[in-house]
Amino acid sequence: MQLWLDSADAEETPSAQPIEIVMCDLPGILHTVQEGLQGVLALCRKWAARHVPTLAADLAARLDELAISAPLPDTSGQHALRPITELEPEPEK
């Protein structure tokens, strides 16, 4: 899979090099991102409990509408982002 930085015009061809992600690495990458987001959600809960206790539960629930706490499908994969130069070329069709 190739990812490019988002540009203002989706029609324009990206000028930067894409990030290559090997599909079998994707579950592990998503798991790592989810763990980070769960940490942010936990910190938001603590902050809200201290500063706006009456809104803490609602704030956490609203943030979790992004499905941070939802289980990911097949998160057993390990991941490693590698530079494009280290990736094997795609077979010709």
Side-chain angles (χ1 to χ4, degrees):
M1 172 184 348
Q2 295 182 336
L3 299 175
W4 283 268
L5 290 175
D6 194 12
S7 65
D9 183 3
E11 301 282 323
E12 98 184 26
T13 304
S15 59
Q17 289 288 325
I19 297 171
E20 293 275 346
I21 299 176
V22 178
M23 290 304 291
C24 64
D25 290 343
L26 192 56
I29 293 168
L30 292 175
H31 181 71
T32 300
V33 170
Q34 184 183 42
E35 285 178 341
L37 289 172
Q38 287 172 342
V40 169
L41 184 60
L43 290 173
C44 287
R45 283 186 177 122
K46 286 181 184 179
W47 178 88
R50 179 179 292 165
H51 298 283
V52 286
T54 58
L55 300 174
D58 289 339
L59 176 62
R62 188 69 165 194
L63 290 172
D64 202 24
E65 285 178 7
L66 299 171
I68 294 169
S69 297
L72 291 172
D74 186 21
T75 59
S76 61
Q78 295 296 315
H79 70 279
L81 286 176
R82 296 176 290 181
I84 294 171
T85 56
E86 294 180 18
L87 294 174
E88 301 83 25
E90 291 185 21
E92 292 187 29
K93 295 180 182 178

